[in-house]
Amino acid sequence: MLPDEVEPKDLHPSARNELKTLQADVQERVARHLAMVAFLIDDDPELAHQHALSANRRAGRIPVARETLAITAYRTGDFALALRELRTYRRLSGLDGHVSLMVDCERGLGRPDKAIETGLEVDASRLDTEQRVHLAIAMSGARLDLGQTQQALFELEIPELNPSKAFSWSPDLFAAYSAVLEDLGRSREAAQWLAHAERAARALQAHHGSLDELEVFEVYEDVIDDERDAELENEAAEEVIGEFQAVDPDAAVDPDAADDAAADSDGAVEFDASVEPEAAEVATDEDGAGAGAAEYEEMSIEAEVDELLAAAGIIGGDTDRSGGSDAPSGADEASGAAAAGDEPDADAERRD
């Protein structure tokens, strides 16, 4: 059975590309089986092997299907099937990338001589670094099976055996070297290389950020229905009513205090809160300056009238000016009478 949530896109793109020669429906089903193998290979190799068998029945001539079946057979201990599928995969693809698994399968079948022969058939220079390291480990194990301990140590002494650097293959390589040293009776060196292997494993785990450790937070949300909302509102209303009822009903308002408050409110002057006190003072000063300017202008007009009247001989110059504000008042009355026609013109009488 294939879970509905598993889709063809869960398979690696390079593997999906190999399935394009199949029909659309077969291609989708094979891709889903291969994706399930990737999900289950570490936790449930037996179930992963069943999915690999299903994919191989539908796509037996596709290299990735034979490769997947070989790996699941190796993980389940079926070395004969694994070796057969690995040879088929090498024939279809022309690649020697799984030669280390072939050497291990020969060892698992009890044929260490054949294992060494299989390893020597491959040109190691055509392998990448990881494949070459795993081949060295497999060949060292075959030498140990034959009792060739010193030769097993020589198989592991490759440039990648560097304790100052850690790669994905470093822990396995250092541990294998430590095991061979232990068989040779070099316990102190074996302990050192075992420490190197553990340190490399810790460094790799720190580098990858402990991806296998997940921290899960569970968030619980309280679901409150409409009835619960109504109950909460009723409780709040009852609390408010209780607070009003708790006030002393005998407490009365003082009439005098109320009158004083009313008087204060009647005599209060409203100010614009947005106006600053300093701005109000400036406005007051400006009003005073305007009033002073108007008064000065009025006094200048009166002085000019006095000079005109003095020049005409109507008033007596300094004597009338010293009289202050009475002289202009008399002149205003005379001019008012002349305008009304009640008294003769003072200038006309002097001319007569």
Side-chain angles (χ1 to χ4, degrees):
M1 295 294 294
L2 287 170
D4 295 336
E5 59 270 15
V6 178
E7 300 179 359
K9 65 180 181 180
D10 296 329
L11 185 63
H12 195 276
S14 62
R16 289 204 311 270
N17 189 50
E18 295 186 26
L19 302 179
K20 290 183 177 181
T21 58
L22 301 174
Q23 296 180 359
D25 55 342
V26 178
Q27 177 181 342
E28 178 182 355
R29 192 163 186 83
V30 171
R32 294 176 64 191
H33 278 296
L34 295 179
M36 284 298 300
V37 173
F39 290 148
L40 298 171
I41 188 63
D42 293 327
D43 298 329
D44 194 348
E46 291 289 345
L47 184 57
H49 183 59
Q50 296 301 319
H51 283 285
L53 287 172
S54 298
N56 189 67
R57 283 194 295 267
R58 294 173 173 83
R61 302 186 66 85
I62 305 299
V64 67
R66 308 305 287 264
E67 178 188 21
T68 303
L69 180 58
I71 293 173
T72 57
Y74 176 82
R75 293 293 296 270
T76 57
D78 192 348
F79 299 115
L81 176 61
L83 183 60
R84 186 185 68 196
E85 295 300 326
L86 286 172
R87 286 173 177 170
T88 304
Y89 168 75
R90 182 171 63 177
R91 186 176 67 253
L92 292 175
S93 64
L95 301 176
D96 292 321
H98 294 301
V99 63
S100 61
L101 292 182
M102 297 176 67
V103 173
D104 269 342
C105 287
E106 293 287 0
R107 290 181 58 203
L109 294 174
R111 300 183 299 206
D113 292 333
K114 185 64 175 178
I116 294 176
E117 182 182 347
T118 301
L120 293 177
E121 291 176 353
V122 178
D123 184 6
S125 62
R126 296 176 55 188
L127 304 176
D128 60 30
T129 304
E130 185 173 5
Q131 293 171 353
R132 187 169 59 252
V133 170
H134 286 298
L135 177 59
I137 295 173
M139 292 291 286
S140 176
R143 296 289 185 182
L144 288 175
D145 294 340
L146 293 174
Q148 302 173 359
T149 309
Q150 192 63 46
Q151 286 83 350
L153 189 67
F154 292 156
E155 293 285 354
L156 297 174
E157 292 178 346
I158 55 180
E160 289 75 21
L161 188 68
N162 186 357
S164 64
K165 297 181 180 180
F167 298 92
S168 60
W169 60 83
S170 297
D172 293 337
L173 179 59
F174 297 164
Y177 194 71
S178 173
V180 176
L181 289 174
E182 187 69 30
D183 290 344
L184 290 174
R186 298 159 61 176
S187 301
R188 180 176 298 179
E189 296 180 56
Q192 291 177 353
W193 280 99
L194 184 60
H196 292 328
E198 294 175 352
R199 185 178 63 181
R202 290 193 301 268
L204 290 173
Q205 185 177 10
H207 176 71
H208 293 297
S210 301
L211 299 179
D212 55 341
E213 297 180 3
L214 299 178
E215 188 173 1
V216 180
F217 296 92
E218 295 185 3
V219 179
Y220 298 93
E221 296 182 358
D222 295 333
V223 180
I224 303 178
D225 53 7
D226 295 338
E227 295 181 359
R228 182 58 179 166
D229 291 340
E231 291 179 1
L232 294 176
E233 292 178 359
N234 292 335
E235 291 178 1
E238 291 177 358
E239 291 179 359
V240 174
I241 294 173
E243 291 178 358
F244 278 109
Q245 291 178 350
V247 179
D248 186 5
D250 297 333
V253 180
D254 188 2
D256 296 336
D259 294 340
D260 294 341
D264 294 339
S265 63
D266 294 339
V269 179
E270 295 183 357
F271 292 95
D272 187 359
S274 62
V275 179
E276 299 288 341
E278 297 178 357
E281 293 178 0
V282 171
T284 304
D285 295 341
E286 291 178 353
D287 294 341
E295 182 178 356
Y296 175 76
E297 183 178 359
E298 183 178 355
M299 291 177 62
S300 299
I301 294 174
E302 291 178 356
E304 186 176 357
V305 171
D306 289 342
E307 291 178 359
L308 293 174
L309 293 176
I314 298 175
I315 59 176
D318 295 338
T319 304
D320 292 336
R321 288 192 194 95
S322 65
S325 60
D326 292 339
S329 298
D332 292 339
E333 290 177 359
S335 61
D342 294 335
E343 295 181 3
D345 189 2
D347 296 335
E349 291 178 356
R350 290 186 176 276
R351 287 193 297 269
D352 294 338

